[in-house]
PDB file of all heavy atoms in Angstrom:
ATOM      1  N   PRO A   9      33.221 -57.924 -52.350  1.00 92.00           N
ATOM      2  CA  PRO A   9      34.038 -56.862 -51.774  1.00 92.00           C
ATOM      3  C   PRO A   9      35.407 -57.392 -51.369  1.00 92.00           C
ATOM      4  O   PRO A   9      35.495 -58.505 -50.801  1.00 92.00           O
ATOM      5  CB  PRO A   9      33.212 -56.403 -50.552  1.00 92.00           C
ATOM      6  CG  PRO A   9      32.078 -57.369 -50.399  1.00 92.00           C
ATOM      7  CD  PRO A   9      31.919 -58.081 -51.723  1.00 92.00           C
ATOM      8  N   LYS A  13      38.774 -56.326 -57.330  1.00 96.00           N
ATOM      9  CA  LYS A  13      38.073 -55.919 -58.545  1.00 96.00           C
ATOM     10  C   LYS A  13      38.415 -54.464 -58.931  1.00 96.00           C
ATOM     11  O   LYS A  13      38.678 -54.196 -60.109  1.00 96.00           O
ATOM     12  CB  LYS A  13      36.589 -56.040 -58.243  1.00 96.00           C
ATOM     13  CG  LYS A  13      35.654 -55.839 -59.365  1.00 96.00           C
ATOM     14  CD  LYS A  13      34.268 -56.352 -59.005  1.00 96.00           C
ATOM     15  CE  LYS A  13      33.749 -55.834 -57.689  1.00 96.00           C
ATOM     16  NZ  LYS A  13      33.308 -54.416 -57.746  1.00 96.00           N
ATOM     17  N   SER A  30      33.185 -46.974 -62.052  1.00 97.00           N
ATOM     18  CA  SER A  30      32.903 -47.573 -60.742  1.00 97.00           C
ATOM     19  C   SER A  30      31.725 -46.858 -60.092  1.00 97.00           C
ATOM     20  O   SER A  30      31.826 -45.692 -59.758  1.00 97.00           O
ATOM     21  CB  SER A  30      34.129 -47.439 -59.833  1.00 97.00           C
ATOM     22  OG  SER A  30      33.768 -47.558 -58.464  1.00 97.00           O
ATOM     23  N   THR A  31      30.607 -47.553 -59.977  1.00 98.00           N
ATOM     24  CA  THR A  31      29.445 -46.917 -59.384  1.00 98.00           C
ATOM     25  C   THR A  31      29.685 -46.605 -57.915  1.00 98.00           C
ATOM     26  O   THR A  31      29.200 -45.606 -57.409  1.00 98.00           O
ATOM     27  CB  THR A  31      28.197 -47.800 -59.562  1.00 98.00           C
ATOM     28  OG1 THR A  31      28.495 -49.156 -59.157  1.00 98.00           O
ATOM     29  CG2 THR A  31      27.671 -47.781 -60.985  1.00 98.00           C
ATOM     30  N   GLY A  32      30.474 -47.430 -57.205  1.00 97.00           N
ATOM     31  CA  GLY A  32      30.802 -47.141 -55.833  1.00 97.00           C
ATOM     32  C   GLY A  32      31.564 -45.823 -55.723  1.00 97.00           C
ATOM     33  O   GLY A  32      31.251 -44.975 -54.868  1.00 97.00           O
ATOM     34  N   GLU A  33      32.537 -45.609 -56.599  1.00 97.00           N
ATOM     35  CA  GLU A  33      33.304 -44.347 -56.604  1.00 97.00           C
ATOM     36  C   GLU A  33      32.385 -43.164 -56.965  1.00 97.00           C
ATOM     37  O   GLU A  33      32.519 -42.087 -56.373  1.00 97.00           O
ATOM     38  CB  GLU A  33      34.426 -44.394 -57.619  1.00 97.00           C
ATOM     39  CG  GLU A  33      35.784 -44.600 -56.991  1.00 97.00           C
ATOM     40  CD  GLU A  33      36.860 -44.894 -58.016  1.00 97.00           C
ATOM     41  OE1 GLU A  33      36.913 -44.186 -59.024  1.00 97.00           O
ATOM     42  OE2 GLU A  33      37.618 -45.855 -57.782  1.00 97.00           O
ATOM     43  N   LEU A  35      29.231 -42.895 -56.384  1.00 98.00           N
ATOM     44  CA  LEU A  35      28.365 -42.621 -55.228  1.00 98.00           C
ATOM     45  C   LEU A  35      29.184 -41.965 -54.102  1.00 98.00           C
ATOM     46  O   LEU A  35      28.705 -41.047 -53.451  1.00 98.00           O
ATOM     47  CB  LEU A  35      27.683 -43.903 -54.709  1.00 98.00           C
ATOM     48  CG  LEU A  35      26.685 -44.556 -55.674  1.00 98.00           C
ATOM     49  CD1 LEU A  35      26.174 -45.861 -55.072  1.00 98.00           C
ATOM     50  CD2 LEU A  35      25.545 -43.640 -56.022  1.00 98.00           C
ATOM     51  N   ARG A  36      30.410 -42.435 -53.884  1.00 97.00           N
ATOM     52  CA  ARG A  36      31.259 -41.811 -52.826  1.00 97.00           C
ATOM     53  C   ARG A  36      31.509 -40.344 -53.197  1.00 97.00           C
ATOM     54  O   ARG A  36      31.545 -39.469 -52.321  1.00 97.00           O
ATOM     55  CB  ARG A  36      32.551 -42.574 -52.608  1.00 97.00           C
ATOM     56  CG  ARG A  36      32.375 -43.831 -51.749  1.00 97.00           C
ATOM     57  CD  ARG A  36      33.695 -44.465 -51.368  1.00 97.00           C
ATOM     58  NE  ARG A  36      34.332 -45.168 -52.489  1.00 97.00           N
ATOM     59  CZ  ARG A  36      33.990 -46.382 -52.940  1.00 97.00           C
ATOM     60  NH1 ARG A  36      33.002 -47.050 -52.383  1.00 97.00           N
ATOM     61  NH2 ARG A  36      34.633 -46.920 -53.951  1.00 97.00           N
ATOM     62  N   ILE A  52      22.663 -45.668 -46.582  1.00 97.00           N
ATOM     63  CA  ILE A  52      22.553 -47.005 -47.163  1.00 97.00           C
ATOM     64  C   ILE A  52      23.936 -47.590 -47.420  1.00 97.00           C
ATOM     65  O   ILE A  52      24.229 -48.732 -47.061  1.00 97.00           O
ATOM     66  CB  ILE A  52      21.750 -46.963 -48.499  1.00 97.00           C
ATOM     67  CG1 ILE A  52      20.349 -46.434 -48.264  1.00 97.00           C
ATOM     68  CG2 ILE A  52      21.715 -48.334 -49.170  1.00 97.00           C
ATOM     69  CD1 ILE A  52      19.602 -46.086 -49.535  1.00 97.00           C
ATOM     70  N   MET A  53      24.831 -46.775 -47.976  1.00 96.00           N
ATOM     71  CA  MET A  53      26.185 -47.215 -48.229  1.00 96.00           C
ATOM     72  C   MET A  53      26.900 -47.545 -46.947  1.00 96.00           C
ATOM     73  O   MET A  53      27.589 -48.547 -46.858  1.00 96.00           O
ATOM     74  CB  MET A  53      26.979 -46.145 -48.978  1.00 96.00           C
ATOM     75  CG  MET A  53      26.473 -45.913 -50.411  1.00 96.00           C
ATOM     76  SD  MET A  53      27.371 -44.588 -51.205  1.00 96.00           S
ATOM     77  CE  MET A  53      28.939 -45.386 -51.492  1.00 96.00           C
ATOM     78  N   ASP A  54      26.707 -46.719 -45.934  1.00 93.00           N
ATOM     79  CA  ASP A  54      27.373 -46.951 -44.626  1.00 93.00           C
ATOM     80  C   ASP A  54      26.950 -48.253 -44.005  1.00 93.00           C
ATOM     81  O   ASP A  54      27.679 -48.860 -43.236  1.00 93.00           O
ATOM     82  CB  ASP A  54      27.099 -45.801 -43.678  1.00 93.00           C
ATOM     83  CG  ASP A  54      27.895 -44.549 -44.024  1.00 93.00           C
ATOM     84  OD1 ASP A  54      28.818 -44.673 -44.849  1.00 93.00           O
ATOM     85  OD2 ASP A  54      27.565 -43.472 -43.503  1.00 93.00           O
ATOM     86  N   GLY A  56      26.203 -51.043 -45.651  1.00 93.00           N
ATOM     87  CA  GLY A  56      26.602 -52.224 -46.439  1.00 93.00           C
ATOM     88  C   GLY A  56      25.528 -52.748 -47.327  1.00 93.00           C
ATOM     89  O   GLY A  56      25.724 -53.734 -48.046  1.00 93.00           O
ATOM     90  N   ARG A  57      24.363 -52.062 -47.340  1.00 96.00           N
ATOM     91  CA  ARG A  57      23.265 -52.489 -48.209  1.00 96.00           C
ATOM     92  C   ARG A  57      23.420 -51.852 -49.585  1.00 96.00           C
ATOM     93  O   ARG A  57      24.267 -51.028 -49.814  1.00 96.00           O
ATOM     94  CB  ARG A  57      21.899 -52.174 -47.565  1.00 96.00           C
ATOM     95  CG  ARG A  57      21.566 -53.108 -46.426  1.00 96.00           C
ATOM     96  CD  ARG A  57      20.271 -52.691 -45.734  1.00 96.00           C
ATOM     97  NE  ARG A  57      20.468 -51.416 -45.047  1.00 96.00           N
ATOM     98  CZ  ARG A  57      19.675 -50.358 -45.176  1.00 96.00           C
ATOM     99  NH1 ARG A  57      18.599 -50.433 -45.953  1.00 96.00           N
ATOM    100  NH2 ARG A  57      19.925 -49.217 -44.551  1.00 96.00           N
ATOM    101  N   LEU A  58      22.504 -52.221 -50.494  1.00 98.00           N
ATOM    102  CA  LEU A  58      22.562 -51.676 -51.836  1.00 98.00           C
ATOM    103  C   LEU A  58      21.625 -50.514 -52.023  1.00 98.00           C
ATOM    104  O   LEU A  58      20.489 -50.529 -51.490  1.00 98.00           O
ATOM    105  CB  LEU A  58      22.194 -52.760 -52.872  1.00 98.00           C
ATOM    106  CG  LEU A  58      23.146 -53.955 -53.008  1.00 98.00           C
ATOM    107  CD1 LEU A  58      22.655 -54.859 -54.126  1.00 98.00           C
ATOM    108  CD2 LEU A  58      24.578 -53.494 -53.265  1.00 98.00           C
ATOM    109  N   VAL A  59      22.068 -49.563 -52.821  1.00 98.00           N
ATOM    110  CA  VAL A  59      21.195 -48.478 -53.245  1.00 98.00           C
ATOM    111  C   VAL A  59      20.162 -49.059 -54.202  1.00 98.00           C
ATOM    112  O   VAL A  59      20.434 -50.079 -54.899  1.00 98.00           O
ATOM    113  CB  VAL A  59      22.059 -47.402 -53.951  1.00 98.00           C
ATOM    114  CG1 VAL A  59      21.203 -46.313 -54.574  1.00 98.00           C
ATOM    115  CG2 VAL A  59      23.087 -46.816 -52.947  1.00 98.00           C
ATOM    116  N   ASP A  60      18.936 -48.502 -54.224  1.00 98.00           N
ATOM    117  CA  ASP A  60      17.853 -49.135 -54.995  1.00 98.00           C
ATOM    118  C   ASP A  60      18.143 -49.126 -56.508  1.00 98.00           C
ATOM    119  O   ASP A  60      18.863 -48.255 -57.019  1.00 98.00           O
ATOM    120  CB  ASP A  60      16.527 -48.439 -54.701  1.00 98.00           C
ATOM    121  CG  ASP A  60      16.518 -47.011 -55.210  1.00 98.00           C
ATOM    122  OD1 ASP A  60      17.041 -46.115 -54.521  1.00 98.00           O
ATOM    123  OD2 ASP A  60      16.018 -46.808 -56.334  1.00 98.00           O
ATOM    124  N   ASP A  61      17.553 -50.099 -57.181  1.00 98.00           N
ATOM    125  CA  ASP A  61      17.828 -50.317 -58.603  1.00 98.00           C
ATOM    126  C   ASP A  61      17.443 -49.138 -59.471  1.00 98.00           C
ATOM    127  O   ASP A  61      18.156 -48.826 -60.444  1.00 98.00           O
ATOM    128  CB  ASP A  61      17.090 -51.552 -59.083  1.00 98.00           C
ATOM    129  CG  ASP A  61      17.647 -52.864 -58.501  1.00 98.00           C
ATOM    130  OD1 ASP A  61      18.839 -52.861 -58.119  1.00 98.00           O
ATOM    131  OD2 ASP A  61      16.888 -53.852 -58.428  1.00 98.00           O
ATOM    132  N   MET A  64      20.111 -46.477 -59.238  1.00 98.00           N
ATOM    133  CA  MET A  64      21.326 -46.927 -59.942  1.00 98.00           C
ATOM    134  C   MET A  64      21.153 -46.908 -61.455  1.00 98.00           C
ATOM    135  O   MET A  64      22.087 -46.624 -62.203  1.00 98.00           O
ATOM    136  CB  MET A  64      21.731 -48.313 -59.476  1.00 98.00           C
ATOM    137  CG  MET A  64      22.177 -48.384 -58.009  1.00 98.00           C
ATOM    138  SD  MET A  64      23.357 -47.085 -57.502  1.00 98.00           S
ATOM    139  CE  MET A  64      24.722 -47.415 -58.580  1.00 98.00           C
ATOM    140  N   ASP A  84      32.663 -51.504 -63.106  1.00 98.00           N
ATOM    141  CA  ASP A  84      33.138 -52.100 -61.822  1.00 98.00           C
ATOM    142  C   ASP A  84      32.092 -51.772 -60.745  1.00 98.00           C
ATOM    143  O   ASP A  84      31.975 -50.620 -60.327  1.00 98.00           O
ATOM    144  CB  ASP A  84      34.496 -51.440 -61.524  1.00 98.00           C
ATOM    145  CG  ASP A  84      34.898 -51.599 -60.074  1.00 98.00           C
ATOM    146  OD1 ASP A  84      34.343 -52.464 -59.387  1.00 98.00           O
ATOM    147  OD2 ASP A  84      35.795 -50.842 -59.636  1.00 98.00           O
ATOM    148  N   GLY A  85      31.325 -52.788 -60.386  1.00 97.00           N
ATOM    149  CA  GLY A  85      30.292 -52.535 -59.341  1.00 97.00           C
ATOM    150  C   GLY A  85      28.897 -52.381 -59.876  1.00 97.00           C
ATOM    151  O   GLY A  85      27.984 -52.106 -59.104  1.00 97.00           O
ATOM    152  N   TYR A  86      28.722 -52.545 -61.155  1.00 98.00           N
ATOM    153  CA  TYR A  86      27.393 -52.547 -61.768  1.00 98.00           C
ATOM    154  C   TYR A  86      27.396 -53.531 -62.904  1.00 98.00           C
ATOM    155  O   TYR A  86      28.374 -53.514 -63.661  1.00 98.00           O
ATOM    156  CB  TYR A  86      27.017 -51.158 -62.314  1.00 98.00           C
ATOM    157  CG  TYR A  86      25.558 -51.040 -62.703  1.00 98.00           C
ATOM    158  CD1 TYR A  86      24.623 -50.563 -61.818  1.00 98.00           C
ATOM    159  CD2 TYR A  86      25.117 -51.491 -63.970  1.00 98.00           C
ATOM    160  CE1 TYR A  86      23.262 -50.490 -62.168  1.00 98.00           C
ATOM    161  CE2 TYR A  86      23.763 -51.432 -64.306  1.00 98.00           C
ATOM    162  CZ  TYR A  86      22.854 -50.926 -63.392  1.00 98.00           C
ATOM    163  OH  TYR A  86      21.524 -50.893 -63.727  1.00 98.00           O
ATOM    164  N   PRO A  87      26.420 -54.392 -63.103  1.00 98.00           N
ATOM    165  CA  PRO A  87      25.238 -54.589 -62.266  1.00 98.00           C
ATOM    166  C   PRO A  87      25.560 -55.351 -61.010  1.00 98.00           C
ATOM    167  O   PRO A  87      26.527 -56.078 -60.924  1.00 98.00           O
ATOM    168  CB  PRO A  87      24.328 -55.382 -63.187  1.00 98.00           C
ATOM    169  CG  PRO A  87      25.202 -56.154 -64.088  1.00 98.00           C
ATOM    170  CD  PRO A  87      26.428 -55.298 -64.281  1.00 98.00           C
ATOM    171  N   ARG A  88      24.701 -55.199 -60.025  1.00 98.00           N
ATOM    172  CA  ARG A  88      24.843 -55.861 -58.746  1.00 98.00           C
ATOM    173  C   ARG A  88      23.613 -56.695 -58.374  1.00 98.00           C
ATOM    174  O   ARG A  88      23.608 -57.341 -57.332  1.00 98.00           O
ATOM    175  CB  ARG A  88      25.065 -54.823 -57.678  1.00 98.00           C
ATOM    176  CG  ARG A  88      26.535 -54.651 -57.272  1.00 98.00           C
ATOM    177  CD  ARG A  88      26.491 -54.241 -55.858  1.00 98.00           C
ATOM    178  NE  ARG A  88      27.598 -53.954 -55.037  1.00 98.00           N
ATOM    179  CZ  ARG A  88      28.595 -53.134 -55.192  1.00 98.00           C
ATOM    180  NH1 ARG A  88      28.802 -52.545 -56.308  1.00 98.00           N
ATOM    181  NH2 ARG A  88      29.417 -52.922 -54.236  1.00 98.00           N
ATOM    182  N   THR A  89      22.560 -56.623 -59.202  1.00 98.00           N
ATOM    183  CA  THR A  89      21.347 -57.402 -58.966  1.00 98.00           C
ATOM    184  C   THR A  89      20.831 -57.858 -60.344  1.00 98.00           C
ATOM    185  O   THR A  89      21.206 -57.249 -61.382  1.00 98.00           O
ATOM    186  CB  THR A  89      20.241 -56.539 -58.319  1.00 98.00           C
ATOM    187  OG1 THR A  89      19.848 -55.495 -59.240  1.00 98.00           O
ATOM    188  CG2 THR A  89      20.645 -55.935 -57.004  1.00 98.00           C
ATOM    189  N   GLN A  92      19.264 -55.063 -62.258  1.00 98.00           N
ATOM    190  CA  GLN A  92      20.267 -54.168 -62.808  1.00 98.00           C
ATOM    191  C   GLN A  92      20.867 -54.750 -64.085  1.00 98.00           C
ATOM    192  O   GLN A  92      21.159 -54.021 -65.032  1.00 98.00           O
ATOM    193  CB  GLN A  92      21.374 -53.870 -61.795  1.00 98.00           C
ATOM    194  CG  GLN A  92      20.906 -52.995 -60.619  1.00 98.00           C
ATOM    195  CD  GLN A  92      22.051 -52.655 -59.674  1.00 98.00           C
ATOM    196  OE1 GLN A  92      23.209 -52.882 -59.968  1.00 98.00           O
ATOM    197  NE2 GLN A  92      21.688 -52.109 -58.515  1.00 98.00           N
ATOM    198  N   ARG A 127      42.303 -53.257 -44.351  1.00 71.00           N
ATOM    199  CA  ARG A 127      42.000 -52.162 -45.267  1.00 71.00           C
ATOM    200  C   ARG A 127      41.439 -50.906 -44.590  1.00 71.00           C
ATOM    201  O   ARG A 127      41.862 -49.808 -44.839  1.00 71.00           O
ATOM    202  CB  ARG A 127      41.039 -52.675 -46.322  1.00 71.00           C
ATOM    203  CG  ARG A 127      40.653 -51.653 -47.361  1.00 71.00           C
ATOM    204  CD  ARG A 127      40.236 -52.331 -48.608  1.00 71.00           C
ATOM    205  NE  ARG A 127      39.025 -51.731 -49.147  1.00 71.00           N
ATOM    206  CZ  ARG A 127      38.404 -52.168 -50.211  1.00 71.00           C
ATOM    207  NH1 ARG A 127      38.878 -53.219 -50.861  1.00 71.00           N
ATOM    208  NH2 ARG A 127      37.335 -51.583 -50.626  1.00 71.00           N
ATOM    209  N   ARG A 129      38.518 -49.104 -44.771  1.00 61.00           N
ATOM    210  CA  ARG A 129      37.742 -48.000 -45.313  1.00 61.00           C
ATOM    211  C   ARG A 129      36.557 -47.765 -44.357  1.00 61.00           C
ATOM    212  O   ARG A 129      36.228 -48.644 -43.577  1.00 61.00           O
ATOM    213  CB  ARG A 129      37.218 -48.424 -46.686  1.00 61.00           C
ATOM    214  CG  ARG A 129      36.827 -47.223 -47.574  1.00 61.00           C
ATOM    215  CD  ARG A 129      36.584 -47.687 -48.977  1.00 61.00           C
ATOM    216  NE  ARG A 129      35.296 -48.338 -49.073  1.00 61.00           N
ATOM    217  CZ  ARG A 129      34.958 -49.090 -50.120  1.00 61.00           C
ATOM    218  NH1 ARG A 129      35.775 -49.284 -51.105  1.00 61.00           N
ATOM    219  NH2 ARG A 129      33.758 -49.660 -50.156  1.00 61.00           N
ATOM    220  N   ASP A 131      33.394 -47.879 -44.547  1.00 57.00           N
ATOM    221  CA  ASP A 131      32.289 -48.833 -44.458  1.00 57.00           C
ATOM    222  C   ASP A 131      32.771 -50.261 -44.245  1.00 57.00           C
ATOM    223  O   ASP A 131      32.086 -51.219 -44.521  1.00 57.00           O
ATOM    224  CB  ASP A 131      31.398 -48.718 -45.708  1.00 57.00           C
ATOM    225  CG  ASP A 131      32.165 -48.984 -46.994  1.00 57.00           C
ATOM    226  OD1 ASP A 131      33.353 -49.330 -46.910  1.00 57.00           O
ATOM    227  OD2 ASP A 131      31.569 -48.877 -48.087  1.00 57.00           O
ATOM    228  N   ARG A 140      28.049 -56.725 -46.331  1.00 92.00           N
ATOM    229  CA  ARG A 140      28.414 -56.574 -47.736  1.00 92.00           C
ATOM    230  C   ARG A 140      28.583 -57.954 -48.384  1.00 92.00           C
ATOM    231  O   ARG A 140      28.177 -58.176 -49.541  1.00 92.00           O
ATOM    232  CB  ARG A 140      29.668 -55.737 -47.905  1.00 92.00           C
ATOM    233  CG  ARG A 140      29.378 -54.218 -47.742  1.00 92.00           C
ATOM    234  CD  ARG A 140      30.610 -53.410 -47.343  1.00 92.00           C
ATOM    235  NE  ARG A 140      31.737 -53.549 -48.273  1.00 92.00           N
ATOM    236  CZ  ARG A 140      31.889 -52.848 -49.407  1.00 92.00           C
ATOM    237  NH1 ARG A 140      30.956 -51.981 -49.762  1.00 92.00           N
ATOM    238  NH2 ARG A 140      32.936 -52.998 -50.148  1.00 92.00           N
TER     239      ARG A 140
HETATM  240  P1  LIG B 201      31.670 -50.514 -54.081  1.00 54.32           P
HETATM  241  O1  LIG B 201      32.760 -49.483 -54.018  1.00 54.32           O
HETATM  242  O2  LIG B 201      31.445 -51.005 -55.474  1.00 54.32           O
HETATM  243  O3  LIG B 201      31.880 -51.615 -53.103  1.00 54.32           O
HETATM  244  O4  LIG B 201      30.322 -49.771 -53.672  1.00 54.32           O
HETATM  245  C1  LIG B 201      30.188 -49.170 -52.369  1.00 54.32           C
HETATM  246  C2  LIG B 201      28.708 -49.097 -51.990  1.00 54.32           C
HETATM  247  O5  LIG B 201      27.995 -48.287 -52.951  1.00 54.32           O
HETATM  248  C3  LIG B 201      27.976 -50.413 -52.010  1.00 54.32           C
HETATM  249  O6  LIG B 201      28.121 -51.112 -50.806  1.00 54.32           O
HETATM  250  C4  LIG B 201      26.523 -49.986 -52.226  1.00 54.32           C
HETATM  251  O7  LIG B 201      25.955 -49.438 -51.063  1.00 54.32           O
HETATM  252  C5  LIG B 201      26.718 -48.829 -53.208  1.00 54.32           C
HETATM  253  N1  LIG B 201      26.694 -49.313 -54.633  1.00 54.32           N
HETATM  254  C6  LIG B 201      27.696 -49.290 -55.526  1.00 54.32           C
HETATM  255  N2  LIG B 201      27.305 -49.799 -56.709  1.00 54.32           N
HETATM  256  C7  LIG B 201      26.010 -50.194 -56.527  1.00 54.32           C
HETATM  257  C8  LIG B 201      25.069 -50.823 -57.378  1.00 54.32           C
HETATM  258  N3  LIG B 201      25.349 -51.182 -58.616  1.00 54.32           N
HETATM  259  N4  LIG B 201      23.849 -51.079 -56.844  1.00 54.32           N
HETATM  260  C9  LIG B 201      23.522 -50.734 -55.586  1.00 54.32           C
HETATM  261  N5  LIG B 201      24.378 -50.149 -54.748  1.00 54.32           N
HETATM  262  C10 LIG B 201      25.633 -49.877 -55.190  1.00 54.32           C
END
Side-chain angles (χ1 to χ4, degrees):
K13 187 166 51 73
S30 159
T31 47
E33 255 170 47
L35 295 177
R36 281 188 287 281
I52 300 169
M53 292 177 72
D54 286 346
R57 285 175 294 129
L58 294 183
V59 174
D60 68 277
D61 291 335
M64 294 313 299
D84 162 18
Y86 192 94
R88 259 210 181 54
T89 64
Q92 290 184 11
R127 181 155 134 182
R129 202 169 75 196
D131 59 4
R140 282 157 57 83

